[in-house]
PDB file of all heavy atoms in Angstrom:
ATOM      1  N   ALA A   1     -15.765   9.049   3.042  1.00 95.00           N
ATOM      2  CA  ALA A   1     -15.433   9.721   4.289  1.00 95.00           C
ATOM      3  C   ALA A   1     -14.299   8.984   4.986  1.00 95.00           C
ATOM      4  O   ALA A   1     -14.311   7.742   5.074  1.00 95.00           O
ATOM      5  CB  ALA A   1     -16.657   9.766   5.204  1.00 95.00           C
ATOM      6  N   GLU A   2     -13.322   9.736   5.484  1.00 92.00           N
ATOM      7  CA  GLU A   2     -12.218   9.108   6.189  1.00 92.00           C
ATOM      8  C   GLU A   2     -12.631   8.592   7.573  1.00 92.00           C
ATOM      9  O   GLU A   2     -12.014   7.682   8.098  1.00 92.00           O
ATOM     10  CB  GLU A   2     -11.070  10.100   6.330  1.00 92.00           C
ATOM     11  CG  GLU A   2     -10.448  10.506   4.998  1.00 92.00           C
ATOM     12  CD  GLU A   2      -9.302  11.476   5.169  1.00 92.00           C
ATOM     13  OE1 GLU A   2      -9.021  11.822   6.346  1.00 92.00           O
ATOM     14  OE2 GLU A   2      -8.686  11.890   4.160  1.00 92.00           O
ATOM     15  N   ASP A   3     -13.677   9.208   8.129  1.00 91.00           N
ATOM     16  CA  ASP A   3     -14.089   8.882   9.479  1.00 91.00           C
ATOM     17  C   ASP A   3     -15.518   8.315   9.518  1.00 91.00           C
ATOM     18  O   ASP A   3     -16.300   8.615  10.403  1.00 91.00           O
ATOM     19  CB  ASP A   3     -14.015  10.105  10.383  1.00 91.00           C
ATOM     20  CG  ASP A   3     -14.826  11.282   9.827  1.00 91.00           C
ATOM     21  OD1 ASP A   3     -15.269  11.200   8.652  1.00 91.00           O
ATOM     22  OD2 ASP A   3     -15.039  12.273  10.568  1.00 91.00           O
ATOM     23  N   ALA A   4     -15.876   7.494   8.509  1.00 94.00           N
ATOM     24  CA  ALA A   4     -17.221   6.935   8.453  1.00 94.00           C
ATOM     25  C   ALA A   4     -17.481   6.071   9.686  1.00 94.00           C
ATOM     26  O   ALA A   4     -16.673   5.181   9.995  1.00 94.00           O
ATOM     27  CB  ALA A   4     -17.407   6.121   7.186  1.00 94.00           C
ATOM     28  N   PRO A   5     -18.583   6.297  10.390  1.00 97.00           N
ATOM     29  CA  PRO A   5     -18.892   5.490  11.584  1.00 97.00           C
ATOM     30  C   PRO A   5     -19.308   4.079  11.181  1.00 97.00           C
ATOM     31  O   PRO A   5     -19.772   3.845  10.076  1.00 97.00           O
ATOM     32  CB  PRO A   5     -20.043   6.254  12.238  1.00 97.00           C
ATOM     33  CG  PRO A   5     -20.709   6.956  11.098  1.00 97.00           C
ATOM     34  CD  PRO A   5     -19.625   7.332  10.144  1.00 97.00           C
ATOM     35  N   PRO A   6     -19.157   3.092  12.082  1.00 97.00           N
ATOM     36  CA  PRO A   6     -19.551   1.718  11.770  1.00 97.00           C
ATOM     37  C   PRO A   6     -21.055   1.594  11.765  1.00 97.00           C
ATOM     38  O   PRO A   6     -21.787   2.404  12.332  1.00 97.00           O
ATOM     39  CB  PRO A   6     -18.939   0.928  12.923  1.00 97.00           C
ATOM     40  CG  PRO A   6     -18.889   1.895  14.067  1.00 97.00           C
ATOM     41  CD  PRO A   6     -18.600   3.226  13.442  1.00 97.00           C
ATOM     42  N   PRO A   7     -21.599   0.568  11.088  1.00 98.00           N
ATOM     43  CA  PRO A   7     -23.047   0.316  11.113  1.00 98.00           C
ATOM     44  C   PRO A   7     -23.514  -0.027  12.531  1.00 98.00           C
ATOM     45  O   PRO A   7     -22.712  -0.270  13.437  1.00 98.00           O
ATOM     46  CB  PRO A   7     -23.223  -0.860  10.147  1.00 98.00           C
ATOM     47  CG  PRO A   7     -21.980  -0.909   9.347  1.00 98.00           C
ATOM     48  CD  PRO A   7     -20.888  -0.384  10.225  1.00 98.00           C
ATOM     49  N   LEU A   8     -24.840  -0.053  12.700  1.00 98.00           N
ATOM     50  CA  LEU A   8     -25.409  -0.476  13.980  1.00 98.00           C
ATOM     51  C   LEU A   8     -24.970  -1.894  14.301  1.00 98.00           C
ATOM     52  O   LEU A   8     -24.745  -2.720  13.413  1.00 98.00           O
ATOM     53  CB  LEU A   8     -26.952  -0.432  13.915  1.00 98.00           C
ATOM     54  CG  LEU A   8     -27.606   0.941  13.748  1.00 98.00           C
ATOM     55  CD1 LEU A   8     -29.120   0.774  13.691  1.00 98.00           C
ATOM     56  CD2 LEU A   8     -27.212   1.897  14.869  1.00 98.00           C
ATOM     57  N   THR A   9     -24.852  -2.172  15.581  1.00 97.00           N
ATOM     58  CA  THR A   9     -24.493  -3.510  16.051  1.00 97.00           C
ATOM     59  C   THR A   9     -25.720  -4.142  16.709  1.00 97.00           C
ATOM     60  O   THR A   9     -26.677  -3.443  17.076  1.00 97.00           O
ATOM     61  CB  THR A   9     -23.323  -3.444  17.038  1.00 97.00           C
ATOM     62  OG1 THR A   9     -23.704  -2.600  18.145  1.00 97.00           O
ATOM     63  CG2 THR A   9     -22.082  -2.894  16.374  1.00 97.00           C
ATOM     64  N   PRO A  10     -25.733  -5.472  16.880  1.00 96.00           N
ATOM     65  CA  PRO A  10     -26.905  -6.137  17.488  1.00 96.00           C
ATOM     66  C   PRO A  10     -27.269  -5.522  18.835  1.00 96.00           C
ATOM     67  O   PRO A  10     -26.424  -5.245  19.674  1.00 96.00           O
ATOM     68  CB  PRO A  10     -26.416  -7.587  17.655  1.00 96.00           C
ATOM     69  CG  PRO A  10     -25.447  -7.761  16.528  1.00 96.00           C
ATOM     70  CD  PRO A  10     -24.726  -6.469  16.404  1.00 96.00           C
ATOM     71  N   GLY A  11     -28.576  -5.264  18.979  1.00 94.00           N
ATOM     72  CA  GLY A  11     -29.090  -4.629  20.188  1.00 94.00           C
ATOM     73  C   GLY A  11     -29.340  -3.151  20.043  1.00 94.00           C
ATOM     74  O   GLY A  11     -30.105  -2.571  20.815  1.00 94.00           O
ATOM     75  N   GLU A  12     -28.688  -2.512  19.073  1.00 96.00           N
ATOM     76  CA  GLU A  12     -28.896  -1.074  18.859  1.00 96.00           C
ATOM     77  C   GLU A  12     -30.116  -0.871  17.959  1.00 96.00           C
ATOM     78  O   GLU A  12     -30.364  -1.652  17.032  1.00 96.00           O
ATOM     79  CB  GLU A  12     -27.659  -0.438  18.208  1.00 96.00           C
ATOM     80  CG  GLU A  12     -26.440  -0.413  19.103  1.00 96.00           C
ATOM     81  CD  GLU A  12     -25.289   0.327  18.456  1.00 96.00           C
ATOM     82  OE1 GLU A  12     -24.859  -0.078  17.360  1.00 96.00           O
ATOM     83  OE2 GLU A  12     -24.814   1.309  19.048  1.00 96.00           O
ATOM     84  N   GLN A  13     -30.863   0.175  18.253  1.00 94.00           N
ATOM     85  CA  GLN A  13     -32.076   0.492  17.507  1.00 94.00           C
ATOM     86  C   GLN A  13     -31.887   1.755  16.682  1.00 94.00           C
ATOM     87  O   GLN A  13     -31.065   2.619  17.018  1.00 94.00           O
ATOM     88  CB  GLN A  13     -33.241   0.684  18.462  1.00 94.00           C
ATOM     89  CG  GLN A  13     -33.687  -0.605  19.178  1.00 94.00           C
ATOM     90  CD  GLN A  13     -34.158  -1.649  18.169  1.00 94.00           C
ATOM     91  OE1 GLN A  13     -35.000  -1.396  17.314  1.00 94.00           O
ATOM     92  NE2 GLN A  13     -33.598  -2.845  18.268  1.00 94.00           N
ATOM     93  N   PRO A  14     -32.640   1.889  15.586  1.00 97.00           N
ATOM     94  CA  PRO A  14     -32.538   3.100  14.774  1.00 97.00           C
ATOM     95  C   PRO A  14     -32.953   4.346  15.571  1.00 97.00           C
ATOM     96  O   PRO A  14     -33.769   4.258  16.497  1.00 97.00           O
ATOM     97  CB  PRO A  14     -33.507   2.846  13.617  1.00 97.00           C
ATOM     98  CG  PRO A  14     -33.704   1.367  13.588  1.00 97.00           C
ATOM     99  CD  PRO A  14     -33.575   0.901  15.002  1.00 97.00           C
ATOM    100  N   ASP A  15     -32.405   5.492  15.140  1.00 97.00           N
ATOM    101  CA  ASP A  15     -32.824   6.781  15.681  1.00 97.00           C
ATOM    102  C   ASP A  15     -34.171   7.169  15.060  1.00 97.00           C
ATOM    103  O   ASP A  15     -34.806   6.375  14.335  1.00 97.00           O
ATOM    104  CB  ASP A  15     -31.761   7.851  15.407  1.00 97.00           C
ATOM    105  CG  ASP A  15     -30.672   7.846  16.453  1.00 97.00           C
ATOM    106  OD1 ASP A  15     -31.004   7.816  17.647  1.00 97.00           O
ATOM    107  OD2 ASP A  15     -29.481   7.848  16.076  1.00 97.00           O
ATOM    108  N   ALA A  16     -34.558   8.410  15.284  1.00 97.00           N
ATOM    109  CA  ALA A  16     -35.883   8.879  14.866  1.00 97.00           C
ATOM    110  C   ALA A  16     -36.001   9.106  13.351  1.00 97.00           C
ATOM    111  O   ALA A  16     -37.115   9.237  12.850  1.00 97.00           O
ATOM    112  CB  ALA A  16     -36.254  10.150  15.617  1.00 97.00           C
ATOM    113  N   TRP A  17     -34.884   9.149  12.681  1.00 98.00           N
ATOM    114  CA  TRP A  17     -34.926   9.484  11.247  1.00 98.00           C
ATOM    115  C   TRP A  17     -34.138   8.466  10.438  1.00 98.00           C
ATOM    116  O   TRP A  17     -33.146   7.898  10.924  1.00 98.00           O
ATOM    117  CB  TRP A  17     -34.363  10.879  10.992  1.00 98.00           C
ATOM    118  CG  TRP A  17     -35.256  11.956  11.547  1.00 98.00           C
ATOM    119  CD1 TRP A  17     -35.229  12.442  12.823  1.00 98.00           C
ATOM    120  CD2 TRP A  17     -36.295  12.627  10.871  1.00 98.00           C
ATOM    121  NE1 TRP A  17     -36.218  13.400  12.966  1.00 98.00           N
ATOM    122  CE2 TRP A  17     -36.885  13.540  11.785  1.00 98.00           C
ATOM    123  CE3 TRP A  17     -36.823  12.560   9.562  1.00 98.00           C
ATOM    124  CZ2 TRP A  17     -37.941  14.363  11.453  1.00 98.00           C
ATOM    125  CZ3 TRP A  17     -37.868  13.384   9.220  1.00 98.00           C
ATOM    126  CH2 TRP A  17     -38.414  14.264  10.148  1.00 98.00           C
ATOM    127  N   LEU A  18     -34.585   8.257   9.194  1.00 98.00           N
ATOM    128  CA  LEU A  18     -33.922   7.341   8.265  1.00 98.00           C
ATOM    129  C   LEU A  18     -33.622   8.116   6.974  1.00 98.00           C
ATOM    130  O   LEU A  18     -34.509   8.816   6.452  1.00 98.00           O
ATOM    131  CB  LEU A  18     -34.836   6.164   7.945  1.00 98.00           C
ATOM    132  CG  LEU A  18     -34.181   4.933   7.286  1.00 98.00           C
ATOM    133  CD1 LEU A  18     -33.200   4.294   8.252  1.00 98.00           C
ATOM    134  CD2 LEU A  18     -35.274   3.958   6.861  1.00 98.00           C
ATOM    135  N   ALA A  19     -32.409   8.013   6.490  1.00 98.00           N
ATOM    136  CA  ALA A  19     -32.007   8.693   5.259  1.00 98.00           C
ATOM    137  C   ALA A  19     -31.700   7.672   4.167  1.00 98.00           C
ATOM    138  O   ALA A  19     -31.023   6.671   4.424  1.00 98.00           O
ATOM    139  CB  ALA A  19     -30.787   9.567   5.508  1.00 98.00           C
ATOM    140  N   GLU A  20     -32.197   7.939   2.992  1.00 97.00           N
ATOM    141  CA  GLU A  20     -31.919   7.094   1.814  1.00 97.00           C
ATOM    142  C   GLU A  20     -31.048   7.899   0.854  1.00 97.00           C
ATOM    143  O   GLU A  20     -31.485   8.939   0.345  1.00 97.00           O
ATOM    144  CB  GLU A  20     -33.227   6.698   1.128  1.00 97.00           C
ATOM    145  CG  GLU A  20     -33.013   5.819  -0.092  1.00 97.00           C
ATOM    146  CD  GLU A  20     -34.329   5.496  -0.781  1.00 97.00           C
ATOM    147  OE1 GLU A  20     -35.216   6.373  -0.836  1.00 97.00           O
ATOM    148  OE2 GLU A  20     -34.474   4.370  -1.258  1.00 97.00           O
ATOM    149  N   PRO A  21     -29.822   7.468   0.577  1.00 97.00           N
ATOM    150  CA  PRO A  21     -28.963   8.233  -0.306  1.00 97.00           C
ATOM    151  C   PRO A  21     -29.461   8.223  -1.751  1.00 97.00           C
ATOM    152  O   PRO A  21     -30.201   7.339  -2.165  1.00 97.00           O
ATOM    153  CB  PRO A  21     -27.597   7.509  -0.197  1.00 97.00           C
ATOM    154  CG  PRO A  21     -27.710   6.578   0.943  1.00 97.00           C
ATOM    155  CD  PRO A  21     -29.171   6.280   1.118  1.00 97.00           C
ATOM    156  N   ASP A  22     -29.043   9.223  -2.494  1.00 97.00           N
ATOM    157  CA  ASP A  22     -29.267   9.221  -3.936  1.00 97.00           C
ATOM    158  C   ASP A  22     -28.686   7.939  -4.535  1.00 97.00           C
ATOM    159  O   ASP A  22     -27.724   7.366  -4.034  1.00 97.00           O
ATOM    160  CB  ASP A  22     -28.585  10.448  -4.551  1.00 97.00           C
ATOM    161  CG  ASP A  22     -28.738  10.518  -6.045  1.00 97.00           C
ATOM    162  OD1 ASP A  22     -29.735  11.098  -6.516  1.00 97.00           O
ATOM    163  OD2 ASP A  22     -27.870   9.982  -6.756  1.00 97.00           O
ATOM    164  N   GLY A  23     -29.297   7.494  -5.637  1.00 97.00           N
ATOM    165  CA  GLY A  23     -28.880   6.250  -6.255  1.00 97.00           C
ATOM    166  C   GLY A  23     -27.423   6.195  -6.654  1.00 97.00           C
ATOM    167  O   GLY A  23     -26.781   5.153  -6.618  1.00 97.00           O
ATOM    168  N   ALA A  24     -26.822   7.336  -7.046  1.00 98.00           N
ATOM    169  CA  ALA A  24     -25.408   7.346  -7.399  1.00 98.00           C
ATOM    170  C   ALA A  24     -24.550   7.090  -6.169  1.00 98.00           C
ATOM    171  O   ALA A  24     -23.513   6.425  -6.270  1.00 98.00           O
ATOM    172  CB  ALA A  24     -25.056   8.692  -8.030  1.00 98.00           C
ATOM    173  N   VAL A  25     -24.967   7.593  -5.014  1.00 98.00           N
ATOM    174  CA  VAL A  25     -24.233   7.362  -3.783  1.00 98.00           C
ATOM    175  C   VAL A  25     -24.308   5.900  -3.405  1.00 98.00           C
ATOM    176  O   VAL A  25     -23.313   5.288  -2.992  1.00 98.00           O
ATOM    177  CB  VAL A  25     -24.797   8.260  -2.649  1.00 98.00           C
ATOM    178  CG1 VAL A  25     -24.066   8.025  -1.345  1.00 98.00           C
ATOM    179  CG2 VAL A  25     -24.674   9.735  -3.041  1.00 98.00           C
ATOM    180  N   LEU A  26     -25.492   5.309  -3.573  1.00 96.00           N
ATOM    181  CA  LEU A  26     -25.633   3.876  -3.316  1.00 96.00           C
ATOM    182  C   LEU A  26     -24.770   3.048  -4.272  1.00 96.00           C
ATOM    183  O   LEU A  26     -24.085   2.105  -3.849  1.00 96.00           O
ATOM    184  CB  LEU A  26     -27.101   3.481  -3.458  1.00 96.00           C
ATOM    185  CG  LEU A  26     -28.036   3.903  -2.327  1.00 96.00           C
ATOM    186  CD1 LEU A  26     -29.489   3.645  -2.738  1.00 96.00           C
ATOM    187  CD2 LEU A  26     -27.725   3.191  -1.026  1.00 96.00           C
ATOM    188  N   ALA A  27     -24.813   3.406  -5.552  1.00 96.00           N
ATOM    189  CA  ALA A  27     -24.043   2.644  -6.556  1.00 96.00           C
ATOM    190  C   ALA A  27     -22.552   2.709  -6.261  1.00 96.00           C
ATOM    191  O   ALA A  27     -21.817   1.740  -6.509  1.00 96.00           O
ATOM    192  CB  ALA A  27     -24.348   3.149  -7.964  1.00 96.00           C
ATOM    193  N   ALA A  28     -22.093   3.852  -5.764  1.00 97.00           N
ATOM    194  CA  ALA A  28     -20.681   4.027  -5.458  1.00 97.00           C
ATOM    195  C   ALA A  28     -20.296   3.423  -4.110  1.00 97.00           C
ATOM    196  O   ALA A  28     -19.107   3.442  -3.739  1.00 97.00           O
ATOM    197  CB  ALA A  28     -20.330   5.520  -5.471  1.00 97.00           C
ATOM    198  N   GLY A  29     -21.280   2.909  -3.362  1.00 95.00           N
ATOM    199  CA  GLY A  29     -20.991   2.320  -2.069  1.00 95.00           C
ATOM    200  C   GLY A  29     -20.569   3.332  -1.033  1.00 95.00           C
ATOM    201  O   GLY A  29     -19.720   3.043  -0.173  1.00 95.00           O
ATOM    202  N   LEU A  30     -21.170   4.513  -1.050  1.00 97.00           N
ATOM    203  CA  LEU A  30     -20.748   5.604  -0.177  1.00 97.00           C
ATOM    204  C   LEU A  30     -21.773   5.958   0.892  1.00 97.00           C
ATOM    205  O   LEU A  30     -21.864   7.112   1.322  1.00 97.00           O
ATOM    206  CB  LEU A  30     -20.448   6.840  -1.039  1.00 97.00           C
ATOM    207  CG  LEU A  30     -19.263   6.686  -2.008  1.00 97.00           C
ATOM    208  CD1 LEU A  30     -19.087   7.956  -2.835  1.00 97.00           C
ATOM    209  CD2 LEU A  30     -17.998   6.328  -1.268  1.00 97.00           C
ATOM    210  N   ALA A  31     -22.532   4.955   1.349  1.00 97.00           N
ATOM    211  CA  ALA A  31     -23.445   5.219   2.472  1.00 97.00           C
ATOM    212  C   ALA A  31     -22.690   5.716   3.689  1.00 97.00           C
ATOM    213  O   ALA A  31     -23.223   6.485   4.495  1.00 97.00           O
ATOM    214  CB  ALA A  31     -24.267   3.986   2.787  1.00 97.00           C
ATOM    215  N   GLY A  32     -21.447   5.281   3.843  1.00 97.00           N
ATOM    216  CA  GLY A  32     -20.640   5.730   4.966  1.00 97.00           C
ATOM    217  C   GLY A  32     -20.403   7.223   4.933  1.00 97.00           C
ATOM    218  O   GLY A  32     -20.320   7.872   5.995  1.00 97.00           O
ATOM    219  N   ALA A  33     -20.300   7.816   3.736  1.00 98.00           N
ATOM    220  CA  ALA A  33     -20.130   9.261   3.636  1.00 98.00           C
ATOM    221  C   ALA A  33     -21.381   9.977   4.116  1.00 98.00           C
ATOM    222  O   ALA A  33     -21.303  11.030   4.762  1.00 98.00           O
ATOM    223  CB  ALA A  33     -19.818   9.639   2.188  1.00 98.00           C
ATOM    224  N   LEU A  34     -22.556   9.409   3.818  1.00 98.00           N
ATOM    225  CA  LEU A  34     -23.817   9.983   4.324  1.00 98.00           C
ATOM    226  C   LEU A  34     -23.851   9.881   5.829  1.00 98.00           C
ATOM    227  O   LEU A  34     -24.201  10.850   6.529  1.00 98.00           O
ATOM    228  CB  LEU A  34     -25.008   9.281   3.700  1.00 98.00           C
ATOM    229  CG  LEU A  34     -26.370   9.700   4.221  1.00 98.00           C
ATOM    230  CD1 LEU A  34     -26.632  11.196   3.980  1.00 98.00           C
ATOM    231  CD2 LEU A  34     -27.479   8.869   3.577  1.00 98.00           C
TER     232      LEU A  34
END
């Protein structure tokens, strides 16, 4: 993704949902696209 948002920073808490990418997405390092 060209506009992938940055990860959480200290003090920020997770939202109500958590997504786990498919293993190919993880292997390609594309969590930012998710």
Side-chain angles (χ1 to χ4, degrees):
E2 295 181 359
D3 56 348
L8 295 179
T9 58
E12 293 184 301
Q13 292 298 309
D15 275 313
W17 292 87
L18 195 67
E20 180 182 38
D22 179 88
V25 179
L26 287 170
L30 296 178
L34 175 60

